[in-house]
Amino acid sequence: MANRFTRAALAGDSDVTSFDQLHDWVRQRRAAYRFEVERIRFDQLVGWHRAPSTGNLAHDTGRFFSIEGLQLRTDAHPEGGWSQPIINQPEVGVLGILAREFNGVLHLLMQAKMEPGNVNVVQLSPTVQATRSNYTGAHRGQAVQYLEYFIGPRRGRVLADVLQSEQGSWFLRKRNRNMVVEVTGDVPVGGDFCWLSLGQVQRLLREDNMVNMDARTVLSCLPFTAVDTDGDGFRGALQRSIAGWPYERHTLVELISWLTDVRARRDFAQTPIPLNAVEHWVHEPDVIRHQDDRYFTVIAVDVRATAREVTRWTQPLFAPRSRSIIAFLVRRIRGVLHVLVHARVEAGSASIAEFAPTVQCDPANYTGAFAGLRPPFLDVVAGAAPERIRYDVVQSEEGGRFYHAEIRNLIVEVGDDFPLDAPDDYRWMTVRQMTELLRHSNYFNVEARGLVACLHSLW
Amino acid sequence: MANRFTRAALAGDSDVTSFDQLHDWVRQRRAAYRFEVERIRFDQLVGWHRAPSTGNLAHDTGRFFSIEGLQLRTDAHPEGGWSQPIINQPEVGVLGILAREFNGVLHLLMQAKMEPGNVNVVQLSPTVQATRSNYTGAHRGQAVQYLEYFIGPRRGRVLADVLQSEQGSWFLRKRNRNMVVEVTGDVPVGGDFCWLSLGQVQRLLREDNMVNMDARTVLSCLPFTAVDTDGDGFRGALQRSIAGWPYERHTLVELISWLTDVRARRDFAQTPIPLNAVEHWVHEPDVIRHQDDRYFTVIAVDVRATAREVTRWTQPLFAPRSRSIIAFLVRRIRGVLHVLVHARVEAGSASIAEFAPTVQCDPANYTGAFAGLRPPFLDVVAGAAPERIRYDVVQSEEGGRFYHAEIRNLIVEVGDDFPLDAPDDYRWMTVRQMTELLRHSNYFNVEARGLVACLHSLW
């Protein structure tokens, strides 16, 4: 099974869709969508209201999502906690990729999907990317295509199906269902959809803003392994790390125990509060922002589109202030690539802490008086020599909730002189161990999962 | 490793402590503790107060726990949800058992621990059973003995270390750390502590109210396997189920997918509300109760004890109305014992649904107008012929939060005529699959974990 993914990833161009056809198709889809996104005032939102007593921004139906306040008390923060606006969407969405073999090579049915927050309108997304409100009809839009392969009686073989967390900095305990379902029979392919080989998808992961966040997280849950393990240099070390070479710096029990320790050791209490009661945030007619213009803003947009479930709608979005960085530091240890993972506490987490990239931050937040809080290893990443940088691609956050939210994704290989003894909240693990843990919920945050998918694209 | 547990469980009496000595020791500990628990009014609680605006019952320090209201909206309930009092304790406690080999047999250091809610004062508990408030000193009591083996730099080998959920009907997203740490050197043994072989602990699991809930959940996380697999009848089928015989009705991926489906399919929104705002509950000076005297009550007690961290204190407790039942239906399928597991939605769950016993209920709640809601399989359990009942022992809930909360624990073997096709929210799994999933958080609820420990005691 896992070997099939390997073969699919190794295969070059697809018999079904050539790489040229694929780029033409994406260009066409981008041209086909007329799409305007206009900033509006909150009181111009249609179907949304701010509750008089709390200031919470909610949909009139009580569905979709609302923007509320969260008070976090934690000793993971130097000042013992903070409060912030947060998205509350207590429902589980479906992110599902349909898979099928063509001429012995596994292909994935990818969707060219438009989202209002995307910098480039259309990105490749899973076959199905739907909130529960979407597919239960609260949206009053069109039916979600291909949903029947993921919900209800099984029409294929489940390769992966697990709840995974969304952005813990912006969502309150939000989780989505990450699924890959393999079918054997013919599937009608709509104009927004295209069969791509896994190898093609991995090549596209090396292009800026091409494969969306939802697709990246689903890809990370595939039960990969590697067939070759005797390669040279970085690639060989990565292959052995993926294959489960018999050297691992820590056992899986030790890694789970270490994460459990961080979760148990930390003070961590989440209290929902009214959006009006969030300290240090300023409410203006068209924006909710931190008084020092840090972190992110909450805005409202009017969206007009030629093709989506509903052709015109308004909604709030979160807009980050600047471009974040996420990075894995990786290092060969006894010939096996190890990834330095951070056990990171996040405000909206359902499980206190999850495995995160070595570095995950918006560097703009660590200037001036905050320079002393600069996260560990940010300088290692920022100062890495070009020949150390194995991956450097700009990827987008989900465009349905986040406006022009771009993240620079980096994988930086450090040398043998880099210390093996990691600080308390950091540990080295192999890609095989990551794959094993990604079969389960609550181990990796969404940023780490996306970066795992990118790491897989490098071998 | 796993075989070591098997050998330890197979060993008869221990060289360290004979079974007679053990019972003498428990009797002595029970006699040694003078212990009075008196019901008081809420306004007699010392160090606790009810917040004027919400009615929430909280400790003056803001630590320990508070009793608040929870509004649940879920389509898992025929009326779309309900509200209820719930315990909010946003901290992770430690439940740790110290293990050590004596003459090649693994022993566990068990504690004779008194809890105010216990029907029999003292039960066997883990080596360490401490809330975070306990061990960080908020209690202002004595230091927690043996804590250093579980917190801080490792002094032994971690055999299990995982966060697991507490009672989802009574706690809001509460999790404790379940640990087993093995040491090789000598450990001083205090008067309240005793080394017992795993086989002895398993024998004690077959006595009423002897091994407390916290010990049972930790025991369930041990990575058991079986060495013999060719036994006859029930025991042989159980051995093969524990060992991971090559027949399983569903693969692990299918079981995880099925749980994911229940979690994603259900409407499930938890909203904290003031305790005063819980509908249909009546507040009296010394009790908070449902207007129809169903479910449970909240009471307050004054505790005087000769031996505990603090010798006199007051606290609120939850008191169930009557004795609950939890039961696994088990069935031999192709010679391998399979357990019928329920994916159960619980009000306070951090993960919407977890694997639960086949039957988990207080039968008294399904009388009169509610008789139509009687859970599936309750009648199968209640009407089981005596020769079908493999296990029937009364066990207690945790006596630090629950007052005289007893549960009848049953394992009932059904015959080949029992349908293999289970209803939607039920699936058959092997004990081996349970053990594999118990390495991780959020799969089994506390009731199921306790019953897994009891099931292990039967081979």
Side-chain angles (χ1 to χ4, degrees):
Chain A
M1 154 62 63
N3 279 335
R4 281 199 312 150
F5 295 111
T6 314
R7 287 200 310 273
L10 284 172
D13 224 358
S14 161
D15 301 336
V16 183
T17 315
S18 77
F19 220 73
D20 286 345
Q21 285 173 325
L22 161 62
H23 274 104
D24 284 346
W25 170 69
V26 173
R27 262 193 299 274
Q28 277 165 18
R29 298 331 295 170
R30 284 186 177 150
Y33 288 114
R34 268 184 305 157
F35 194 57
E36 289 165 43
V37 178
E38 192 188 337
R39 288 277 305 269
I40 56 175
R41 297 190 311 273
F42 293 116
D43 63 10
Q44 292 174 299
L45 284 168
V46 178
W48 294 78
H49 67 280
R50 297 195 65 169
S53 60
T54 60
N56 290 350
L57 186 54
H59 197 262
D60 297 345
T61 60
R63 310 295 305 208
F64 304 110
F65 61 93
S66 58
I67 298 178
E68 310 179 354
L70 178 74
Q71 172 83 55
L72 184 71
R73 191 192 74 219
T74 177
D75 56 359
H77 187 253
E79 287 164 21
W82 69 90
S83 63
Q84 65 164 82
I86 201 150
I87 303 172
N88 186 10
Q89 186 174 13
E91 58 172 25
V92 175
V94 175
L95 310 177
I97 296 183
L98 208 56
R100 185 184 186 280
E101 277 196 0
F102 291 93
N103 301 330
V105 175
L106 204 71
H107 282 61
L108 307 175
L109 187 62
M110 303 302 289
Q111 180 184 179
K113 189 170 171 67
M114 187 188 70
E115 294 283 4
N118 283 350
V119 291
N120 52 358
V121 185
V122 164
Q123 298 190 10
L124 292 189
S125 82
T127 320
V128 165
Q129 175 182 322
T131 65
R132 201 162 184 283
S133 298
N134 273 149
Y135 69 75
T136 56
H139 232 266
R140 277 177 294 178
Q142 300 160 29
V144 175
Q145 291 181 76
Y146 303 105
L147 185 67
E148 65 273 20
Y149 291 96
F150 301 97
I151 303 281
R154 277 285 151 263
R155 300 182 181 214
R157 179 174 171 208
V158 175
L159 305 182
D161 184 5
V162 61
L163 288 201
Q164 298 288 11
S165 61
E166 297 284 298
Q167 289 80 354
S169 301
W170 293 335
F171 277 115
L172 181 59
R173 292 188 283 267
K174 176 83 172 80
R175 283 159 291 195
N176 278 332
R177 183 176 188 178
N178 286 236
M179 298 183 81
V180 182
V181 173
E182 184 185 5
V183 291
T184 49
D186 278 345
V187 174
V189 176
D192 286 341
F193 296 83
C194 188
W195 286 111
L196 303 183
S197 74
L198 186 57
Q200 289 178 325
V201 174
Q202 292 194 330
R203 262 180 75 180
L204 293 174
L205 277 170
R206 302 200 290 272
E207 300 185 13
D208 286 353
N209 295 318
M210 177 59 90
V211 180
N212 85 349
M213 188 212 80
D214 301 281
R216 298 196 304 278
T217 165
V218 177
L219 290 169
S220 77
C221 299
L222 279 174
F224 265 108
T225 186
V227 278
D228 294 331
T229 54
D230 50 0
D232 289 334
F234 172 77
R235 199 163 168 217
L238 176 59
Q239 287 168 350
R240 289 185 286 278
S241 186
I242 292 173
W245 206 244
Y247 176 75
E248 300 166 336
R249 184 156 171 85
H250 304 285
T251 66
L252 210 56
V253 170
E254 287 168 350
L255 292 172
I256 293 173
S257 174
W258 163 65
L259 181 62
T260 305
D261 186 65
V262 173
R263 289 172 169 174
R265 183 155 42 87
R266 288 297 185 197
D267 246 335
F268 185 85
Q270 298 160 320
T271 308
I273 59 172
L275 185 56
N276 282 342
V278 174
E279 286 185 344
H280 310 306
W281 286 70
V282 179
H283 296 249
E284 294 174 1
D286 64 346
V287 68
I288 301 170
R289 60 179 180 83
H290 190 265
Q291 64 187 23
D292 301 333
D293 289 330
R294 306 182 89 85
Y295 313 119
F296 60 90
T297 62
V298 184
I299 61 171
V301 294
D302 181 333
V303 185
R304 294 172 205 229
T306 53
R308 206 181 189 273
E309 290 92 341
V310 179
T311 54
R312 183 173 177 182
W313 73 95
T314 62
Q315 68 167 93
L317 288 170
F318 273 33
R321 283 278 170 193
S322 49
R323 187 181 284 184
S324 292
I325 285 182
I326 62 175
F328 275 143
L329 292 186
V330 299
R331 183 194 191 284
R332 296 174 216 175
I333 308 177
R334 300 200 199 169
V336 179
L337 200 74
H338 280 65
V339 182
L340 189 59
V341 172
H342 179 207
R344 180 182 168 92
V345 174
E346 293 186 307
S349 177
S351 44
I352 306 169
E354 292 187 325
F355 296 132
T358 324
V359 172
Q360 173 184 332
C361 72
D362 179 349
N365 290 334
Y366 302 100
T367 53
F370 297 87
L373 299 177
R374 247 175 111 77
F377 306 116
L378 174 56
D379 294 330
V380 177
V381 170
E387 70 273 16
R388 289 281 180 203
I389 299 177
R390 303 292 170 207
Y391 184 88
D392 185 0
V393 176
V394 175
Q395 301 283 12
S396 293
E397 297 281 26
E398 210 267 307
R401 296 287 172 276
F402 308 116
Y403 185 75
H404 291 194
E406 291 183 303
I407 301 186
R408 187 175 169 199
N409 283 239
L410 286 151
I411 295 170
V412 174
E413 190 180 17
V414 294
D416 289 347
D417 54 334
F418 191 88
L420 279 180
D421 286 332
D424 246 9
D425 288 354
Y426 296 80
R427 285 291 183 283
W428 297 101
M429 62 175 75
T430 67
V431 180
R432 177 75 183 168
Q433 291 177 321
M434 295 174 138
T435 301
E436 171 62 25
L437 294 174
L438 278 163
R439 300 171 65 195
H440 307 283
S441 297
N442 299 324
Y443 281 110
F444 287 90
N445 76 358
V446 65
E447 291 82 1
R449 295 199 308 277
L451 210 45
V452 167
C454 300
L455 179 58
H456 272 298
S457 78
L458 295 183
W459 70 287
Chain B
M1 156 60 64
N3 279 335
R4 283 199 313 150
F5 294 111
T6 313
R7 287 201 309 274
L10 283 172
D13 224 359
S14 160
D15 300 336
V16 183
T17 316
S18 76
F19 220 72
D20 285 346
Q21 286 172 325
L22 161 63
H23 273 105
D24 283 347
W25 170 70
V26 173
R27 262 192 301 274
Q28 278 166 18
R29 298 332 294 171
R30 285 187 177 149
Y33 288 116
R34 267 182 307 155
F35 194 59
E36 289 165 42
V37 178
E38 192 190 336
R39 288 276 306 267
I40 56 174
R41 297 190 313 272
F42 293 115
D43 64 10
Q44 292 174 299
L45 285 167
V46 178
W48 295 79
H49 66 278
R50 297 195 64 171
S53 59
T54 60
N56 289 351
L57 185 56
H59 197 263
D60 297 347
T61 60
R63 310 295 306 208
F64 304 109
F65 61 94
S66 59
I67 298 178
E68 310 179 355
L70 179 73
Q71 171 84 55
L72 184 71
R73 190 192 75 217
T74 178
D75 55 0
H77 187 256
E79 288 164 22
W82 70 89
S83 63
Q84 64 163 82
I86 200 149
I87 303 172
N88 186 9
Q89 186 173 13
E91 57 173 24
V92 176
V94 174
L95 310 177
I97 297 183
L98 208 56
R100 184 183 186 281
E101 277 196 2
F102 291 94
N103 300 330
V105 176
L106 203 72
H107 282 61
L108 308 175
L109 188 62
M110 303 301 290
Q111 179 183 180
K113 188 168 172 67
M114 186 189 70
E115 294 284 3
N118 283 350
V119 291
N120 52 358
V121 185
V122 164
Q123 297 189 11
L124 292 188
S125 82
T127 319
V128 164
Q129 175 182 322
T131 65
R132 199 160 186 283
S133 298
N134 272 147
Y135 69 75
T136 54
H139 232 263
R140 277 177 294 178
Q142 300 160 30
V144 175
Q145 291 181 75
Y146 303 105
L147 184 67
E148 65 274 20
Y149 291 97
F150 301 96
I151 303 282
R154 278 283 151 264
R155 297 180 181 216
R157 178 173 170 210
V158 174
L159 305 184
D161 184 6
V162 60
L163 288 202
Q164 298 287 9
S165 61
E166 297 283 298
Q167 288 80 356
S169 302
W170 295 335
F171 277 114
L172 181 61
R173 292 188 284 267
K174 175 83 171 81
R175 282 159 291 194
N176 278 331
R177 183 175 188 179
N178 286 237
M179 299 184 79
V180 183
V181 172
E182 184 184 6
V183 291
T184 48
D186 277 346
V187 175
V189 176
D192 286 339
F193 296 83
C194 188
W195 285 111
L196 304 184
S197 74
L198 187 57
Q200 289 178 324
V201 173
Q202 292 195 328
R203 262 180 74 178
L204 293 173
L205 278 170
R206 302 200 289 272
E207 300 184 14
D208 286 352
N209 294 319
M210 178 59 89
V211 180
N212 85 350
M213 186 210 82
D214 301 282
R216 297 196 303 277
T217 166
V218 177
L219 290 169
S220 76
C221 299
L222 279 173
F224 266 107
T225 185
V227 278
D228 293 331
T229 54
D230 51 1
D232 288 333
F234 171 78
R235 200 163 168 217
L238 175 58
Q239 287 169 348
R240 288 185 287 278
S241 186
I242 293 173
W245 205 245
Y247 176 74
E248 300 166 336
R249 183 156 171 86
H250 304 285
T251 66
L252 211 56
V253 170
E254 287 168 349
L255 291 172
I256 293 172
S257 174
W258 163 64
L259 181 63
T260 305
D261 185 66
V262 173
R263 288 172 169 173
R265 183 153 44 85
R266 288 295 184 197
D267 245 335
F268 185 84
Q270 298 161 321
T271 309
I273 59 173
L275 185 54
N276 282 341
V278 175
E279 286 186 344
H280 310 305
W281 286 69
V282 179
H283 297 248
E284 293 173 3
D286 64 346
V287 68
I288 301 169
R289 61 177 179 84
H290 190 264
Q291 62 187 22
D292 301 332
D293 288 330
R294 307 183 87 86
Y295 313 120
F296 61 90
T297 62
V298 184
I299 61 172
V301 294
D302 182 334
V303 185
R304 291 169 204 230
T306 53
R308 205 180 189 272
E309 289 92 343
V310 179
T311 54
R312 183 174 178 182
W313 73 95
T314 62
Q315 70 168 93
L317 288 170
F318 273 33
R321 284 278 169 192
S322 49
R323 186 180 285 182
S324 292
I325 286 182
I326 61 175
F328 275 143
L329 291 187
V330 298
R331 184 193 190 283
R332 295 174 216 172
I333 307 178
R334 300 197 200 172
V336 179
L337 200 74
H338 280 66
V339 181
L340 188 60
V341 172
H342 179 206
R344 181 183 169 90
V345 174
E346 294 186 306
S349 176
S351 45
I352 306 169
E354 292 188 326
F355 296 131
T358 324
V359 172
Q360 173 184 331
C361 71
D362 180 348
N365 290 334
Y366 302 100
T367 54
F370 298 87
L373 299 177
R374 249 175 109 78
F377 306 115
L378 175 55
D379 293 329
V380 177
V381 171
E387 71 272 15
R388 289 280 179 202
I389 299 176
R390 304 290 171 209
Y391 184 88
D392 185 0
V393 176
V394 175
Q395 302 283 13
S396 293
E397 297 281 27
E398 210 267 306
R401 295 288 172 275
F402 308 115
Y403 185 74
H404 291 193
E406 293 183 301
I407 300 185
R408 188 175 168 198
N409 282 238
L410 286 151
I411 295 170
V412 174
E413 189 181 14
V414 294
D416 290 346
D417 53 334
F418 191 88
L420 280 178
D421 286 332
D424 245 10
D425 288 355
Y426 296 80
R427 285 291 183 282
W428 297 102
M429 62 176 75
T430 67
V431 180
R432 178 73 183 171
Q433 291 177 321
M434 294 174 138
T435 301
E436 171 63 26
L437 294 174
L438 279 162
R439 301 171 67 194
H440 307 283
S441 297
N442 298 325
Y443 281 111
F444 287 91
N445 75 357
V446 66
E447 291 83 1
R449 296 199 307 278
L451 211 44
V452 166
C454 299
L455 179 58
H456 271 297
S457 78
L458 294 184
W459 68 288

